[in-house]
């Protein structure tokens, strides 16, 4: 459904970045189809390119996502951002390990360089090992194998130390209608002022914000008030959950890319259409949460 007050905004589809974890793993609480097959992944990439979506988000730990992208053969036409795995606890030569990980990633993707390389765990920057890690990343950037370096974070508080340990070019962080910590903490504005690219993820909170109210798993009933308010909001404004979710991060000028993942071509078409709708989000009609059990999906297994 489209809100009667919505207007088209065609340029904002280029602000989207395509998350590719589904190409390598079954991912997302609302995923009913499993890992996206290679043929469908190729169709998704081709449609993304047609709509000027030129940034891909992947990671070494996303199953065989990088390999799938390389085999499709059009990765070189996108800006590819990948992520390093957490540092192994028994690692002796950090620089050698980082170099190996990046070289193997480039081989799988079949590209000459990465647009961005992020740390999957910002805490790896702490201590003497963190200094060696930062030095290794900066050397790779100087060599031209990586254009931009940065971190993927779970909470804005991680930036309190990450910005002191590494000259950040990109920060990827969760941001959605329920979890607005990146904006309310002041970090979004600060990163923008400092010239750091901000890539936001989890616009749909791994798909739970797109689910029909009756389909939300029982273990999430602790937040029944929020789900009820969200369902009421969507009904009252006659808009889709997809359009409402995307409108928040896309409307923020400090956000450079909004990372969205899809399981199939149909979902990408829906996202592109939703991204073109200028839906004005009324933030007062539903609750914001800072409950880590809800806003951090890594905690869902404990519910």
């Amino acid at each position: 459904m489209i809100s009667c007050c919505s207007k088209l905004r065609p340029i904002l589809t280029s602000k989207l970045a395509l998350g590719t974890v589904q190409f390598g793993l079954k991912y997302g609480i609302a995923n009913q189809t499993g890992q996206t097959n290679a043929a469908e992944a190729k169709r998704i990439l081709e449609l993304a390119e047609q709509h000027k979506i030129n940034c891909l988000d992947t990671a070494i730990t996303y199953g065989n996502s990088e390999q799938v992208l390389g085999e499709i053969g059009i990765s070189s036409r996108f800006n590819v951002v990948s992520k390093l795995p957490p540092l192994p606890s028994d690692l002796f030569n950090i620089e050698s390990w980082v170099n190996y990980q990046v070289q193997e990633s480039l081989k799988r993707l079949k590209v000459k360089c990465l647009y961005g390389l992020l740390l999957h765990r910002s805490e790896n920057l702490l201590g003497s090992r963190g200094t060696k890690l930062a030095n290794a990343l900066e050397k790779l950037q100087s060599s031209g194998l990586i254009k931009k370096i940065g971190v993927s974070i779970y909470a804005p508080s991680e930036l309190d130390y990450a910005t002191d340990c590494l000259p950040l070019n990109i920060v990827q962080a969760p941001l959605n209608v329920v979890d607005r910590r990146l904006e309310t903490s002041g970090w979004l504005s600060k990163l923008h002022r400092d010239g750091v690219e901000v890539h936001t993820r989890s616009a749909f909170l791994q798909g739970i914000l797109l689910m029909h109210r009756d389909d939300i798993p029982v273990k999430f009933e602790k937040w029944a008030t929020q789900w009820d308010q969200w369902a009421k909001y969507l009904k009252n404004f006659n808009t889709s959950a997809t359009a409402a979710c995307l409108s928040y991060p896309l409307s923020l000028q400090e956000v450079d890319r909004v990372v969205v993942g899809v399981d199939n071509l149909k979902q990408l078409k829906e996202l592109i259409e939703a991204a073109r709708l200028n839906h004005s989000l009324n933030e007062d009609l539903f609750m914001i949460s800072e409950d880590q059990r809800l806003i951090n999906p890594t905690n869902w297994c404990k519910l």
Side-chain angles (χ1 to χ4, degrees), residues 169-186:
N169 308 126
I170 300 176
V171 168
Q172 186 186 109
L175 185 69
N176 54 62
V177 295
V178 177
D179 178 10
R180 301 180 198 158
R181 292 170 299 164
L182 188 66
E183 181 186 22
T184 58
S185 66

Side-chain angles (χ1 to χ4, degrees), residues 191-239:
L191 291 170
H192 181 69
R193 288 196 304 270
D194 292 343
V196 179
E197 269 188 46
V198 177
H199 296 197
T200 66
R201 66 174 187 273
S202 201
F204 311 120
L205 198 56
Q206 282 203 12
I208 196 169
L209 289 170
L210 303 182
M211 298 177 74
H212 188 276
R213 174 66 183 91
D214 295 336
D215 294 332
I216 295 175
V218 174
K219 67 180 181 179
F220 291 100
E221 281 303 301
K222 299 177 182 66
W223 300 280
T225 300
Q226 271 136 320
W227 309 136
D228 291 342
Q229 289 183 335
W230 179 235
K232 182 178 179 181
Y233 172 84
L234 296 176
K235 182 178 180 180
N236 287 347
F237 281 81
N238 191 33
T239 193

Side-chain angles (χ1 to χ4, degrees), residues 23-259:
F23 296 179
L25 299 167
K26 179 180 179 181
Y27 180 82
I29 191 170
N31 186 333
Q32 301 295 319
T33 58
Q35 181 180 338
T36 305
N37 65 57
E40 187 74 350
K42 182 177 181 180
R43 288 189 285 269
I44 289 169
L45 289 178
E46 289 172 343
L47 181 64
E49 189 175 25
Q50 290 172 22
H51 287 271
K52 304 189 184 307
I53 299 171
N54 65 359
C55 184
L56 301 179
D57 177 82
T58 188
I60 292 170
T61 57
Y62 287 173
N64 64 336
S65 173
E66 289 188 333
Q67 183 177 345
V68 169
L69 291 172
E71 290 175 351
I72 290 172
I74 63 174
S75 300
S76 60
R77 303 209 292 263
F78 291 83
N79 293 326
V80 181
V81 178
S82 195
K83 307 178 195 72
L84 277 177
L87 282 179
S89 59
D90 58 349
L91 186 62
F92 176 71
N93 191 324
I94 291 176
E95 183 175 347
S96 177
W97 179 83
V98 171
N99 289 340
Y100 174 79
Q101 294 293 332
V102 171
Q103 290 290 353
E104 291 299 303
S105 183
L106 294 174
K107 287 179 186 177
R108 287 189 293 269
L109 289 162
K110 298 181 181 178
V111 295
K112 294 181 179 179
C113 69
L114 291 172
Y115 178 77
L117 182 68
L118 311 180
L119 298 180
H120 235 145
R121 294 289 183 272
S122 65
E123 60 266 27
N124 285 162
L125 287 169
L126 298 172
S128 59
R129 279 163 50 95
T131 300
K132 293 177 181 177
L133 176 60
N135 288 339
L137 291 172
E138 290 186 71
K139 283 185 180 180
L140 281 170
Q141 187 176 30
S142 297
S143 75
L145 291 179
I146 303 170
K147 292 183 179 179
K148 302 192 177 189
I149 53 179
V151 292
S152 174
I153 62 173
Y154 290 94
S157 57
E158 296 176 47
L159 295 170
D160 294 340
Y161 60 81
T163 51
D164 293 330
C165 299
L166 186 70
L168 302 177
N169 308 126
I170 300 176
V171 168
Q172 186 186 109
L175 185 69
N176 54 62
V177 295
V178 177
D179 178 10
R180 301 180 198 158
R181 292 170 299 164
L182 188 66
E183 181 186 22
T184 58
S185 66
W187 268 111
L188 179 60
S189 295
K190 177 173 172 47
L191 291 170
H192 181 69
R193 288 196 304 270
D194 292 343
V196 179
E197 269 188 46
V198 177
H199 296 197
T200 66
R201 66 174 187 273
S202 201
F204 311 120
L205 198 56
Q206 282 203 12
I208 196 169
L209 289 170
L210 303 182
M211 298 177 74
H212 188 276
R213 174 66 183 91
D214 295 336
D215 294 332
I216 295 175
V218 174
K219 67 180 181 179
F220 291 100
E221 281 303 301
K222 299 177 182 66
W223 300 280
T225 300
Q226 271 136 320
W227 309 136
D228 291 342
Q229 289 183 335
W230 179 235
K232 182 178 179 181
Y233 172 84
L234 296 176
K235 182 178 180 180
N236 287 347
F237 281 81
N238 191 33
T239 193
S240 72
T242 303
C245 285
L246 283 178
S247 67
Y248 172 51
L250 285 176
S251 69
L252 299 171
Q253 66 174 359
E254 299 92 344
V255 173
D256 296 284
R257 291 286 186 271
V258 178
V259 180

